[in-house]
Amino acid sequence: MTWGLDTDADEAAEQLSTFHEAGGTLVDTADVYQDGHTEEILGDLLTTQLPRDEIVLATKAVARRTPGPFGGGASRGALLTALDGSLRRLRTDHVDLWQLHAWDPAVPLDETLSAIDTAVTSGRVRYAGISNYAGWQLATAATHQNAHPTRTPLIANQAEYSLLERGIEREVSPAATHHGLGLLAWAPLGRGVLTGKYRNATPPDSRGATSHLASYVEHHRTERAARIVHAVLTAAEGLGTSPVHVALAWVRDRPGVTAPILGARTNNQLKTALDAEDLTLPPAIRAALDDISAPEQSYPAQP
């Protein structure tokens, strides 16, 4: 998301190389990130550094990019215009996963989803998913596509999910599981708060110290979050590992999760995060983290 802003092109190249060498395959971006510059950086790297067919390339559309009727939103025209722009910037003839970045209440759902069908049948998109949908929105869209054998099924759901944000467990995750959508969890480190570096102050070189992401990080700097962070740090100390590994391993092994999405600012941060693959949380520690981070129950309660 921040390639082209907090992470320059050279650092992005190092990250992509590190990720690929570690066996990573899925790279996720969006047309709106840094006004398209993020896609441009990634497109350059996929033509000069790595073979395109070794990466599962994912991007998103819907967010407002420019003024005018085709500059954003989920109308058929706006979505297909956005897709063509993404393909130009990514320097490819197709994306492997194209995701609707948000629900658009101003556009009939059938029109929105017809753009997915056109994108797939034209060969510009291989698979489709959604992002940041409420449970009823996900279920409605998935049911609509599954009810017609000629339409493209939704296979992926991207949502914020971490020990600090478990709200999707109420409605979104059950709906996704029921309809067969895998979960790509964004902000699995609680927007950086679960690393523990914000416990006492805001490090001057962190995202929380920048004008463009301060409020993004501040969202999870609460008393409840502080208790959860303390539990993660305690678990990490007991296991002889880092809080990053504990937080990522917890998300990775949750029901329905396909993969956490890593948004590292530096290559060293990415290397640290990738090492979480070697950690499996003991049942007792997992249960303790589940308990302290449990979301409040709401009506109707999930079975």
Side-chain angles (χ1 to χ4, degrees):
M1 181 180 70
T2 54
W3 283 14
L5 184 63
D6 299 321
T7 303
D8 62 24
D10 291 337
E11 186 79 18
E14 289 187 33
Q15 287 190 14
L16 188 60
S17 178
T18 295
F19 184 63
H20 181 254
E21 290 173 4
T25 56
L26 173 66
V27 180
D28 175 73
T29 186
D31 62 348
V32 75
Y33 294 163
Q34 313 314 320
D35 295 325
H37 188 39
T38 300
E39 287 185 329
E40 292 174 343
I41 291 174
L42 182 54
D44 289 343
L45 294 177
L46 292 179
T47 56
T48 62
Q49 182 167 315
L50 286 181
R52 166 68 181 87
D53 60 3
E54 293 186 16
I55 290 296
V56 177
L57 182 59
T59 193
K60 313 180 199 71
V62 170
R64 174 64 56 179
R65 306 175 317 282
T66 61
F70 303 117
S75 71
R76 179 187 177 90
L79 286 174
L80 295 177
T81 298
L83 175 60
D84 289 340
S86 288
L87 294 176
R88 285 194 302 271
R89 290 186 292 272
L90 291 167
R91 300 172 69 176
T92 184
D93 62 357
H94 74 280
V95 294
D96 299 296
L97 175 63
W98 193 42
Q99 301 152 103
L100 302 176
H101 211 161
W103 177 273
D104 187 348
V107 179
L109 181 62
D110 183 71
E111 178 181 345
T112 294
L113 296 176
S114 73
I116 286 178
D117 298 327
T118 298
V120 171
T121 56
S122 67
R124 288 176 284 176
V125 167
R126 298 294 190 259
Y127 299 93
I130 49 89
S131 179
N132 302 314
Y133 272 36
W136 71 267
Q137 295 167 345
L138 183 156
T140 302
T143 299
H144 183 281
Q145 294 301 91
N146 292 338
H148 303 277
T150 61
R151 306 202 72 153
T152 302
L154 302 176
I155 57 94
N157 166 42
Q158 188 172 149
E160 182 174 6
Y161 191 44
S162 73
L163 280 160
L164 300 185
E165 181 49 82
R166 294 177 59 184
I168 65 169
E169 293 178 11
R170 297 187 182 96
E171 298 285 348
V172 177
S173 290
T177 298
H178 179 77
H179 290 283
L181 281 71
L183 173 62
L184 298 173
W186 63 264
L189 294 175
R191 311 187 184 194
V193 174
L194 286 167
T195 64
K197 64 185 176 184
Y198 295 106
R199 289 188 75 193
N200 301 314
T202 301
D205 62 344
S206 69
R207 287 175 174 172
T210 64
S211 59
H212 54 280
L213 284 175
S215 60
Y216 173 81
V217 174
E218 195 67 24
H219 176 78
H220 284 316
R221 296 181 73 176
T222 64
E223 291 185 8
R224 174 182 176 274
R227 294 192 294 270
I228 297 170
V229 170
H230 178 74
V232 169
L233 293 173
T234 301
E237 182 178 2
L239 294 171
T241 188
S242 76
V244 169
H245 295 165
V246 170
L248 287 177
W250 182 89
V251 172
R252 181 199 64 207
D253 296 335
R254 293 293 292 174
V257 173
T258 299
I261 294 178
L262 304 173
R265 179 171 51 86
T266 68
N267 195 43
N268 285 335
Q269 287 179 345
L270 178 61
K271 289 178 178 178
T272 297
L274 291 173
D275 287 341
E277 275 296 276
D278 297 327
L279 176 65
T280 298
L281 296 177
I285 289 181
R286 175 169 290 279
L289 293 174
D290 289 351
D291 182 63
I292 195 169
S293 65
E296 293 182 3
Q297 290 295 321
S298 60
Y299 176 84
Q302 296 297 321

